[in-house]
Amino acid sequence: MQVSVAHHPPNTAVLTLRGSLDIDTAPALKANLSRLVERPAPHIVVDLSGLDFCDSMGVGVLVTAHGRAMEKGGWVRLAAPSGFLSRLLETLGLTGYLSLHDDVETAIKS
């Protein structure tokens, strides 16, 4: 999995994922999100448009990061999840907890 970070005004980080998010790659995502979540009132958009696969470990990292961001007065929003990932999050009952958006721009502006 490839991870890149770009910063967008006002004070929003966009984390772009490419490839597979699974037990082997989840630690890299966790490390990147942990750094971003430590900022005051972190605003983070995770661009999932290039994600081919996501397992429960990957979902767990996203859920944990969102919870930590909320504790600091911020949020983590998910942009452009695949149909599979959207259905998985719905099946797990996480669509009411995680904020899903069609694209990065919509996620930033929400």
Side-chain angles (χ1 to χ4, degrees), residues 1-108:
M1 179 185 68
Q2 297 175 348
V3 179
S4 62
V5 179
H7 296 279
H8 294 262
N11 194 30
T12 301
V14 176
L15 197 69
T16 302
L17 308 181
R18 302 276 181 251
S20 295
L21 176 54
D22 55 27
I23 193 168
D24 295 324
T25 59
L29 176 61
K30 182 178 180 180
N32 279 284
L33 282 170
S34 292
R35 281 193 300 274
L36 295 172
V37 167
E38 291 308 312
R39 301 181 321 183
H43 294 165
I44 304 164
V45 173
V46 181
D47 179 1
L48 303 169
S49 62
L51 206 59
D52 300 330
F53 175 78
C54 181
D55 69 6
S56 61
M57 291 294 291
V59 171
V61 170
L62 297 170
V63 168
T64 300
H66 179 63
R68 289 182 58 211
M70 286 179 46
E71 289 172 359
K72 294 181 149 271
W75 43 257
V76 172
R77 295 178 181 159
L78 306 182
S82 67
F84 168 79
L85 185 53
S86 293
R87 286 187 301 278
L88 175 61
L89 295 171
E90 185 174 338
T91 300
L92 294 171
L94 294 171
T95 54
Y97 181 69
L98 295 171
S99 182
L100 305 178
H101 301 271
D102 291 337
D103 55 45
V104 170
E105 186 174 316
T106 305
I108 291 172

